[in-house]
Amino acid sequence: MLPLKYRRLPRLFRSGPVNFIVVIGALVILGFYLLSTDTTSKANSPYKYRKVDNDPFDFAQAPGDHITHYDLNKLTSTSDSLKHKERVLILTPMAKFHQGYWDNLLKLSYPRDLLELGFILPRTKEGDEALRSLEKVVKRVQNPKSKTPKFSGVTILRQDTDAVESQAEKDRHAFKAQKKRRSQMATARNSLLFTTLGPFTSWVLWLDADVVESPTSLIEDLTAHNKAILAANCWQRFYDDEKKENSIRPYDYNNWVESDEGLRIASQLDDDEIIVEGYADMATFRPLMAHFYDANGDPNVEMQLDGVGGTCLLVKSEVHRDGAMFPNFPFYHLIETEGFSKMAKRLGYEVFGLPNYLVYHYNE
């Protein structure tokens, strides 16, 4: 190798003074750019940032950028969700499509641009029929040419695991079918939750596809309580043949307070056994929220619960982010929604219900 002082310059530097000056100028500009650009600073970033108000992140990048910053510390879930423009994710496992469910959903007064919908349907014949009906009504609302308000987003999933074989009410609620059925439901709920929960979500409203009637102010009413987990009382309208009149009756028995008998039964079960509430086969004598309904009572009255159902259940998104999900296995002898409430309580959250606040289940 030649001594350093005898090394030849690269050809570019030997091809004339003009090229030499061009190269030196380019290097100076590049050096100035690198020194003046702080890649960790939003203000000095080569990307254009725009400030976005009322969203849980500091800045969102201009189109074409591949980095997005979210600040979940700014994500709120408060008693005045509408004022703070808090986004609500409505999640519905759907085996059958009921037009009453969709009509009721469209009547909700919460702004649709703050609502996102998520559905999961089984790969069954009934699931295929429900999918066709669901897609039809969703496309009608979300059509860009439609003048009606649109939801901020809609996600439809097809279940990639086993589903409940029969959706007939007598089969769904048979005591012997509960462990398998609820395990499958828990898996479907978790798939739906983990796929759709985003950095903008403040609240998650679990709403069964069989809920066909609720107050139009459902979301505002529930979020006003500012509870981590809050269940509405699900009843059912029916025609009373004896009284010859329309009447109502309790439907969801999964909202309950633990009892001494329930604890005693649990202490005698094997690890893989579960307690199923609302069946004479396993009488726990737990106080059920469904039985605390007072037609003349204050709909805002709260009662503390240990177990919840999923017919109409509002959850702060932080609860799910902290790890509370729907166990598809016996968790302290509980499973699915009741297992979820147990898991949430183990994480330090309190669970409440509204005994006098009714939503109504479809009557088959």
Side-chain angles (χ1 to χ4, degrees):
M1 177 178 292
L2 293 173
L4 182 59
K5 63 180 180 180
Y6 292 116
R7 285 184 185 169
R8 293 176 178 270
L9 291 172
R11 180 179 299 276
L12 184 60
F13 285 80
R14 294 187 286 115
S15 59
V18 176
N19 285 343
F20 178 78
I21 292 173
V22 170
V23 172
I24 293 299
L27 291 175
V28 170
I29 294 173
L30 179 61
F32 177 79
Y33 173 78
L34 292 175
L35 290 174
S36 64
T37 301
D38 178 5
T39 57
T40 64
S41 170
K42 296 183 180 74
N44 296 324
S45 171
Y47 300 114
K48 293 182 179 180
Y49 292 83
R50 59 181 175 86
K51 182 67 175 175
V52 179
D53 296 326
N54 301 318
D55 273 326
F57 55 86
D58 282 332
F59 291 86
Q61 284 65 38
D65 189 13
H66 63 287
I67 302 174
T68 304
H69 297 264
Y70 299 98
D71 186 356
L72 294 183
N73 293 307
K74 294 186 177 182
L75 185 66
T76 63
S77 49
T78 65
S79 59
D80 199 342
S81 57
L82 193 54
K83 176 182 177 181
H84 295 98
K85 297 183 179 180
E86 293 166 357
R87 303 192 187 189
V88 181
L89 174 64
I90 301 179
L91 297 182
T92 300
M94 179 178 287
K96 282 185 178 181
F97 176 82
H98 296 292
Q99 186 63 44
Y101 160 86
W102 184 253
D103 293 341
N104 185 67
L105 193 66
L106 296 183
K107 293 177 183 177
L108 296 180
S109 58
Y110 206 75
R112 289 187 193 170
D113 62 337
L114 297 177
L115 293 179
E116 185 175 351
L117 309 181
F119 304 91
I120 187 167
L121 298 93
R123 290 189 176 277
T124 61
K125 182 178 179 180
E126 288 181 321
D128 292 340
E129 294 174 357
L131 178 62
R132 286 191 290 269
S133 298
L134 177 62
E135 286 183 332
K136 183 178 180 180
V137 295
V138 167
K139 289 178 180 178
R140 187 179 303 145
V141 172
Q142 298 298 97
N143 188 333
K145 297 181 180 179
S146 173
K147 296 181 180 180
T148 59
K150 298 169 182 55
F151 295 102
S152 65
V154 180
T155 301
I156 300 176
L157 304 179
R158 296 307 301 273
Q159 206 168 322
D160 60 354
T161 56
D162 291 337
V164 180
E165 294 177 1
S166 173
Q167 289 299 322
E169 190 166 11
K170 64 180 181 63
D171 295 326
R172 294 203 321 267
H173 295 290
F175 178 77
K176 64 180 181 180
Q178 290 310 298
K179 184 177 180 181
K180 180 179 179 181
R181 173 183 175 272
R182 295 191 182 187
S183 176
Q184 293 171 342
M185 280 298 301
T187 300
R189 287 186 187 274
N190 291 331
S191 297
L192 182 56
L193 173 66
F194 298 152
T195 303
T196 56
L197 184 65
F200 304 106
T201 307
S202 292
W203 302 88
V204 178
L205 175 62
W206 292 93
L207 192 65
D208 268 9
D210 302 301
V211 174
V212 294
E213 183 183 344
S214 71
T216 58
S217 57
L218 174 67
I219 295 175
E220 295 94 321
D221 294 343
L222 297 185
T223 57
H225 289 265
N226 199 21
K227 299 299 183 185
I229 303 169
L230 185 66
N233 199 355
C234 185
W235 278 46
Q236 187 179 56
R237 296 191 185 278
F238 76 105
Y239 183 77
D240 192 325
D241 291 324
E242 294 183 2
K243 298 180 178 180
K244 304 299 180 181
E245 62 182 16
N246 292 320
S247 186
I248 58 175
R249 60 192 173 196
Y251 183 85
D252 191 348
Y253 294 110
N254 293 327
N255 301 304
W256 45 261
V257 180
E258 189 56 273
S259 66
D260 291 338
E261 180 65 12
L263 294 173
R264 186 194 68 80
I265 293 174
S267 67
Q268 297 179 343
L269 295 177
D270 293 335
D271 291 342
D272 62 343
E273 292 183 292
I274 64 170
I275 296 177
V276 182
E277 192 51 57
Y279 292 86
D281 308 65
M282 188 177 284
T284 63
F285 300 102
R286 290 167 171 164
L288 307 179
M289 186 175 76
H291 294 158
F292 282 76
Y293 171 63
D294 179 0
N296 299 315
D298 182 355
N300 291 315
V301 167
E302 302 170 355
M303 66 180 293
Q304 203 152 7
L305 300 174
D306 294 301
V308 295
T311 50
C312 184
L313 181 68
L314 183 72
V315 182
K316 287 191 175 185
S317 60
E318 65 186 67
V319 178
H320 285 312
R321 288 194 181 93
D322 279 354
M325 39 73 81
F326 300 91
N328 55 5
F329 54 90
F331 182 76
Y332 291 88
H333 305 292
L334 300 172
I335 202 168
E336 203 213 348
T337 58
E338 293 164 304
F340 160 73
S341 61
K342 183 70 172 181
M343 192 175 292
K345 288 173 72 71
R346 295 283 296 176
L347 287 169
Y349 293 101
E350 292 184 308
V351 182
F352 290 87
L354 302 177
N356 299 329
Y357 191 95
L358 297 187
V359 299
Y360 293 93
H361 192 278
Y362 177 78
N363 184 8
E364 296 185 55

